[in-house]
């Protein structure tokens, strides 16, 4: 690739960042093969630990494959997550799953609107590729730390969604807790694993503005400002608030 001019594209970037939202219902308007390839071409520029680039992409447009993915999601992921979530105090439940069992069928249809997207990019990874990073990066998995592999995959999926947005296309990430069912549908060989599924298409609804914490709560100058550290009850209130806000947003689907 030719070296490119130093960019000063903050405003354009902010426009793309604000427009990119997790969109979970799409119109029937198709997405071109060219755009899908452009998306993954951009995504592969993501940074990764030791430049390990553990990602691979499966581009899916076949309706029957999408139907099968939805089926696996409902049987292997959704029901399990729903019942596990019911073990928590309702105020702390993920808004996706905070409703009574008699509504499960109806909610499941809403929660799988992504399966009607005209295209999907399944992002996979080959865990062996992370072996390029330093050993300590994998040994240091103390509480609260994240793995180099997850970080790299987070970057590539974010870029996938941003690249889609830059083309006027909407997307989401549909995370799964299981592997086997998806592996069968997509014929993914060992040791490759599915990381997340990114439906791509044209948004069927307009989301509200992005909900983010106030900038001043997040930024410290020179040293950590201890007045900004959430304590006990404060943190629980914070958690309830984000759960509550999420409910309204997910309800838009
Ligand atoms: C690691 C990660 C996992 C996520 N998993 C899911 C998911 O399984 N299903 C889903 O609909 N959204 C998922 N999301 C999207 C978040 O809910 C979303 O990014 C967040 O609510 C902010 O909304 P926005 O993307 O519209 O700005 C995930 C996001 C991240 C970063």
């Amino acid at each position: 690739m030719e070296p490119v001019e130093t960019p000063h594209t903050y405003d354009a970037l902010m426009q793309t960042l604000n427009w990119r939202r997790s969109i979970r219902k799409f119109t029937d308007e198709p997405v071109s093969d060219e755009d899908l390839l452009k998306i993954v071409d951009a995504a592969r520029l993501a940074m990764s630990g030791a430049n390990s680039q553990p990602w691979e992409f499966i581009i899916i447009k076949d309706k029957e494959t999408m139907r099968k993915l939805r089926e696996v999601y409902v049987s292997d992921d959704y029901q399990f997550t729903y019942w596990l979530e019911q073990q928590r105090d309702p105020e702390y439940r993920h808004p996706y799953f905070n409703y009574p069992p008699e509504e499960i069928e109806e909610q499941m249809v809403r929660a799988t609107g992504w399966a009607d997207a005209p295209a999907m990019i399944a992002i996979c990874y080959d865990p062996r590729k992370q072996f390029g990073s330093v050993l300590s990066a994998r040994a240091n998995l103390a509480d609260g730390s994240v793995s180099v592999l997850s970080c790299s995959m987070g970057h590539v999926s974010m870029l996938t969604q941003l690249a889609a947005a830059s083309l006027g296309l909407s997307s989401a990430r549909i995370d799964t807790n299981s592997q086997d069912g998806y592996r069968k549908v997509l014929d993914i060989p060992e040791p490759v694993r599915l990381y997340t599924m990114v439906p791509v298409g044209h948004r069927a609804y307009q989301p509200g503005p992005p909900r983010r914490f106030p900038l001043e709560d997040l930024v410290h100058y020179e040293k950590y400002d201890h007045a900004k550290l959430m304590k006990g009850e404060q943190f629980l209130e914070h958690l309830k608030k984000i759960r509550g806000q999420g409910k309204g947003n997910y309800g838009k689907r």
Side-chain angles (χ1 to χ4, degrees):
M1 192 189 285
E2 292 293 310
V4 287
E5 235 178 89
T6 306
H8 292 282
T9 51
Y10 184 80
D11 290 347
L13 176 65
M14 283 303 269
Q15 191 185 351
T16 311
L17 289 173
N18 275 295
W19 192 81
R20 184 227 50 93
R21 302 299 308 286
S22 296
I23 297 294
R24 301 170 177 98
K25 196 168 167 38
F26 302 87
T27 68
D28 293 335
E29 194 178 335
V31 177
S32 71
D33 292 337
E34 190 195 352
D35 277 355
L36 290 166
L37 205 58
K38 274 176 146 174
I39 291 172
V40 294
D41 191 27
R44 76 195 172 94
L45 290 176
M47 55 198 283
S48 59
N51 205 13
S52 54
Q53 306 168 60
W55 44 74
E56 289 172 47
F57 310 91
I58 304 177
I59 296 174
I60 303 153
K61 288 174 90 176
D62 183 62
K63 292 263 169 251
E64 180 57 12
T65 306
M66 294 293 274
R67 190 192 62 73
K68 286 183 184 161
L69 290 174
R70 177 187 188 276
E71 219 171 75
V72 174
Y73 183 78
V74 166
S75 66
D76 296 12
D77 275 295
Y78 192 86
Q79 308 250 18
F80 171 71
T81 310
Y82 174 82
W83 289 111
L84 200 56
E85 208 60 12
Q86 304 317 299
Q87 313 311 307
R88 305 170 89 181
D89 183 320
E91 286 172 311
Y92 301 116
R93 278 179 205 154
H94 190 290
Y96 240 167
F97 307 97
N98 197 5
Y99 51 83
E102 58 273 20
E103 287 178 25
I104 193 167
E105 286 298 328
E106 182 195 335
Q107 296 287 345
M108 217 146 51
V109 171
R110 295 177 67 215
T112 53
W114 54 265
D116 296 321
M120 165 89 91
I121 299 172
I123 308 183
C124 303
Y125 62 96
D126 183 334
R128 292 172 300 180
K129 292 186 183 165
Q130 73 171 318
F131 294 163
S133 59
V134 291
L135 281 177
S136 58
R138 272 168 286 131
N140 184 17
L141 285 178
D143 251 9
S145 74
V146 283
S147 83
V148 172
L149 181 64
S150 318
C151 283
S152 302
M153 293 310 295
H155 289 309
V156 78
S157 53
M158 180 68 201
L159 279 199
T160 303
Q161 293 196 246
L162 272 186
S166 75
L167 293 165
L169 293 165
S170 294
S171 62
R173 53 175 286 161
I174 308 300
D175 280 26
T176 66
N177 297 305
S178 64
Q179 285 285 325
D180 291 355
Y182 304 99
R183 190 185 283 291
K184 274 194 201 117
V185 174
L186 300 176
D187 202 18
I188 301 172
E190 289 282 2
V192 179
R193 293 173 68 82
L194 176 66
Y195 175 68
T196 192
M197 300 189 290
V198 179
V200 180
H202 293 269
R203 53 186 64 180
Y205 63 95
Q206 287 302 332
R211 290 172 295 108
R212 294 296 186 268
F213 302 133
L215 187 59
E216 64 269 22
D217 289 2
L218 312 176
V219 181
H220 310 264
Y221 292 98
E222 310 300 344
K223 285 187 177 180
Y224 194 98
D225 178 354
H226 285 233
K228 294 184 179 178
L229 180 67
M230 275 190 279
K231 300 178 186 75
E233 281 297 314
Q234 222 180 343
F235 178 73
L236 291 178
E237 281 310 310
H238 165 86
L239 202 54
K240 276 189 219 165
K241 200 165 135 208
I242 53 173
R243 293 290 65 159
Q245 285 176 347
K247 196 165 189 177
N249 198 42
Y250 285 100
K252 288 202 191 308
R253 282 170 295 120

Coordinates of all heavy atoms in Angstrom, one line a residue, residues 133-177:
S133 N 2.8 -13.3 20.1 CA 3.0 -12.3 21.2 C 3.8 -12.8 22.3 O 4.0 -14.0 22.5 CB 1.6 -11.8 21.7 OG 0.9 -12.8 22.2
V134 N 4.3 -11.8 23.1 CA 5.3 -12.2 24.2 C 4.6 -13.1 25.2 O 3.4 -13.0 25.4 CB 5.9 -11.0 24.9 CG1 6.8 -10.2 24.0 CG2 4.8 -10.1 25.4
L135 N 5.3 -14.0 25.8 CA 4.7 -15.0 26.7 C 4.0 -14.3 27.8 O 3.0 -14.7 28.3 CB 5.8 -16.0 27.2 CG 6.2 -17.1 26.3 CD1 7.4 -17.9 26.9 CD2 5.0 -18.0 25.9
S136 N 4.7 -13.3 28.4 CA 4.1 -12.6 29.6 C 2.7 -12.1 29.3 O 1.9 -12.0 30.2 CB 5.0 -11.5 30.0 OG 5.2 -10.6 29.0
A137 N 2.4 -11.7 28.0 CA 1.1 -11.2 27.7 C 0.0 -12.3 27.9 O -1.1 -11.9 28.1 CB 1.1 -10.7 26.2
R138 N 0.4 -13.5 27.8 CA -0.5 -14.6 28.0 C -0.5 -15.1 29.5 O -1.5 -15.7 29.9 CB -0.3 -15.7 27.0 CG -1.1 -15.5 25.8 CD -0.7 -16.4 24.7 NE 0.6 -16.0 24.1 CZ 1.6 -16.9 23.9 NH1 1.4 -18.1 24.2 NH2 2.7 -16.5 23.4
A139 N 0.6 -14.9 30.1 CA 0.7 -15.4 31.5 C 0.0 -14.5 32.5 O -0.5 -14.9 33.5 CB 2.2 -15.6 31.9
N140 N 0.0 -13.2 32.2 CA -0.5 -12.2 33.1 C -2.0 -12.0 33.0 O -2.5 -11.0 32.5 CB 0.2 -10.9 32.8 CG -0.1 -9.8 33.8 OD1 -0.7 -10.1 34.9 ND2 0.1 -8.6 33.5
L141 N -2.7 -13.1 33.4 CA -4.2 -13.0 33.3 C -4.8 -12.8 34.7 O -5.7 -13.5 35.1 CB -4.7 -14.2 32.6 CG -4.5 -14.2 31.1 CD1 -5.0 -15.5 30.5 CD2 -5.2 -13.0 30.4
A142 N -4.3 -11.9 35.5 CA -4.8 -11.6 36.8 C -6.2 -11.1 36.6 O -6.6 -10.6 35.6 CB -3.9 -10.6 37.5
D143 N -7.0 -11.1 37.7 CA -8.3 -10.6 37.7 C -8.4 -9.2 37.1 O -7.6 -8.3 37.4 CB -8.8 -10.4 39.2 CG -9.9 -11.5 39.5 OD1 -10.1 -12.3 38.7 OD2 -10.5 -11.3 40.6
G144 N -9.4 -9.0 36.2 CA -9.6 -7.7 35.6 C -8.7 -7.4 34.4 O -8.9 -6.4 33.7
S145 N -7.7 -8.3 34.1 CA -6.9 -8.1 32.9 C -7.6 -8.8 31.7 O -8.5 -9.6 31.9 CB -5.5 -8.5 33.1 OG -5.5 -9.9 33.0
V146 N -7.2 -8.4 30.5 CA -7.9 -9.0 29.4 C -6.8 -9.6 28.5 O -5.6 -9.2 28.5 CB -8.6 -7.9 28.5 CG1 -9.9 -7.6 29.1 CG2 -7.8 -6.7 28.3
S147 N -7.2 -10.6 27.7 CA -6.1 -11.3 26.9 C -5.8 -10.5 25.7 O -6.6 -9.8 25.1 CB -6.6 -12.7 26.6 OG -7.4 -12.7 25.5
V148 N -4.6 -10.7 25.2 CA -4.1 -10.1 24.0 C -5.0 -10.5 22.8 O -5.4 -9.7 22.0 CB -2.7 -10.4 23.7 CG1 -2.2 -9.9 22.4 CG2 -1.8 -9.9 24.8
L149 N -5.4 -11.8 22.8 CA -6.2 -12.3 21.8 C -7.6 -11.6 21.7 O -8.0 -11.1 20.7 CB -6.4 -13.8 22.0 CG -7.3 -14.5 20.9 CD1 -6.6 -14.5 19.5 CD2 -7.5 -16.0 21.3
S150 N -8.2 -11.5 22.9 CA -9.6 -10.8 22.9 C -9.4 -9.4 22.5 O -10.3 -8.9 21.8 CB -10.2 -10.8 24.3 OG -10.0 -12.0 25.0
C151 N -8.4 -8.7 22.9 CA -8.2 -7.3 22.5 C -8.1 -7.2 21.0 O -8.7 -6.4 20.4 CB -6.9 -6.7 23.1 SG -7.2 -6.3 24.9
S152 N -7.2 -8.1 20.4 CA -7.0 -8.0 19.0 C -8.4 -8.2 18.3 O -8.7 -7.6 17.3 CB -6.0 -9.0 18.5 OG -4.8 -8.8 19.2
M153 N -9.1 -9.2 18.8 CA -10.4 -9.5 18.1 C -11.4 -8.4 18.3 O -12.2 -8.1 17.4 CB -11.0 -10.8 18.6 CG -10.1 -12.0 18.3 SD -9.7 -12.1 16.5 CE -11.3 -12.4 15.8
G154 N -11.3 -7.7 19.5 CA -12.2 -6.5 19.7 C -11.9 -5.5 18.7 O -12.8 -4.8 18.1
H155 N -10.6 -5.3 18.4 CA -10.2 -4.2 17.5 C -10.8 -4.5 16.1 O -11.4 -3.7 15.4 CB -8.7 -4.1 17.4 CG -8.1 -3.5 18.6 ND1 -8.5 -2.3 19.1 CD2 -7.0 -3.9 19.3 CE1 -7.8 -2.0 20.2 NE2 -6.9 -3.0 20.4
V156 N -10.6 -5.8 15.7 CA -11.0 -6.1 14.3 C -12.5 -6.0 14.1 O -13.0 -5.6 13.1 CB -10.5 -7.5 13.8 CG1 -11.2 -8.6 14.4 CG2 -10.4 -7.5 12.3
S157 N -13.3 -6.4 15.2 CA -14.7 -6.3 15.0 C -15.2 -4.9 15.1 O -16.1 -4.5 14.3 CB -15.4 -7.2 16.1 OG -15.0 -6.9 17.3
M158 N -14.5 -4.0 15.9 CA -14.9 -2.6 15.9 C -14.6 -2.0 14.5 O -15.5 -1.3 13.9 CB -14.1 -1.9 16.9 CG -14.4 -0.4 17.0 SD -16.0 -0.1 17.7 CE -16.3 1.6 17.1
L159 N -13.5 -2.3 13.9 CA -13.2 -1.8 12.6 C -14.2 -2.3 11.5 O -14.5 -1.6 10.6 CB -11.7 -2.1 12.2 CG -10.6 -1.2 12.8 CD1 -9.4 -1.4 11.9 CD2 -11.0 0.2 12.8
T160 N -14.6 -3.5 11.7 CA -15.6 -4.1 10.7 C -16.8 -3.2 10.8 O -17.4 -2.8 9.7 CB -16.0 -5.5 11.1 OG1 -14.7 -6.3 11.2 CG2 -16.9 -6.2 10.2
Q161 N -17.3 -2.9 12.0 CA -18.5 -2.1 12.1 C -18.3 -0.6 11.6 O -19.2 0.0 11.1 CB -19.0 -2.1 13.5 CG -19.5 -3.5 13.9 CD -20.4 -3.5 15.1 OE1 -20.0 -4.1 16.2 NE2 -21.5 -2.9 15.1
L162 N -17.1 -0.1 11.9 CA -16.8 1.3 11.5 C -16.7 1.4 10.0 O -17.2 2.3 9.4 CB -15.5 1.7 12.1 CG -15.6 2.4 13.5 CD1 -14.2 2.9 13.9 CD2 -16.6 3.5 13.5
A163 N -16.1 0.4 9.4 CA -15.9 0.4 7.9 C -17.3 0.3 7.3 O -17.6 1.0 6.3 CB -15.1 -0.8 7.5
A164 N -18.2 -0.6 7.9 CA -19.6 -0.7 7.3 C -20.2 0.7 7.4 O -20.8 1.2 6.5 CB -20.3 -1.7 8.1
A165 N -20.1 1.4 8.6 CA -20.7 2.7 8.8 C -20.2 3.7 7.7 O -20.9 4.5 7.2 CB -20.4 3.2 10.2
S166 N -18.9 3.6 7.4 CA -18.3 4.6 6.5 C -18.9 4.4 5.1 O -18.8 5.3 4.3 CB -16.8 4.4 6.5 OG -16.4 3.3 5.7
L167 N -19.5 3.3 4.9 CA -20.1 3.0 3.6 C -21.7 3.2 3.7 O -22.4 2.8 2.8 CB -19.9 1.5 3.1 CG -18.4 1.2 2.8 CD1 -18.2 -0.3 2.7 CD2 -18.0 1.8 1.4
G168 N -22.1 3.7 4.8 CA -23.6 4.0 5.0 C -24.3 2.7 5.3 O -25.5 2.6 5.1
L169 N -23.6 1.7 5.8 CA -24.2 0.4 6.2 C -24.2 0.3 7.7 O -23.3 0.7 8.4 CB -23.4 -0.7 5.5 CG -23.5 -0.8 4.0 CD1 -22.5 -1.7 3.4 CD2 -24.9 -1.2 3.6
S170 N -25.3 -0.4 8.2 CA -25.4 -0.6 9.6 C -25.0 -2.0 10.0 O -25.0 -2.9 9.1 CB -26.8 -0.2 10.1 OG -27.0 1.1 9.9
S171 N -24.7 -2.2 11.3 CA -24.3 -3.5 11.7 C -24.5 -3.6 13.2 O -24.9 -2.7 13.9 CB -22.8 -3.7 11.4 OG -22.1 -2.7 12.1
A172 N -24.2 -4.8 13.7 CA -24.2 -5.1 15.1 C -23.2 -6.2 15.4 O -22.5 -6.6 14.4 CB -25.6 -5.6 15.6
R173 N -23.0 -6.5 16.6 CA -22.2 -7.7 16.9 C -23.1 -8.6 17.7 O -23.6 -8.2 18.7 CB -20.8 -7.5 17.5 CG -20.8 -6.7 18.7 CD -19.4 -6.6 19.3 NE -18.9 -7.9 19.9 CZ -17.7 -8.2 20.2 NH1 -16.7 -7.3 19.8 NH2 -17.4 -9.3 20.7
I174 N -23.2 -9.9 17.3 CA -24.0 -10.8 18.0 C -23.0 -11.9 18.5 O -22.5 -12.7 17.8 CB -25.0 -11.5 17.0 CG1 -25.8 -10.4 16.2 CG2 -25.9 -12.5 17.7 CD1 -26.6 -9.5 17.1
D175 N -22.8 -11.7 19.8 CA -21.9 -12.6 20.5 C -22.5 -13.9 20.9 O -23.7 -14.0 21.2 CB -21.3 -11.9 21.7 CG -20.2 -11.0 21.4 OD1 -20.2 -10.5 20.3 OD2 -19.3 -10.7 22.3
T176 N -21.8 -15.0 20.8 CA -22.3 -16.3 21.2 C -21.4 -16.9 22.3 O -20.3 -16.6 22.4 CB -22.2 -17.2 20.0 OG1 -20.9 -17.5 19.7 CG2 -22.9 -16.6 18.7
N177 N -22.1 -17.7 23.1 CA -21.3 -18.4 24.2 C -20.9 -19.8 23.8 O -20.1 -20.4 24.4 CB -22.2 -18.4 25.4 CG -22.5 -17.0 25.9 OD1 -21.6 -16.2 26.1 ND2 -23.8 -16.7 26.1

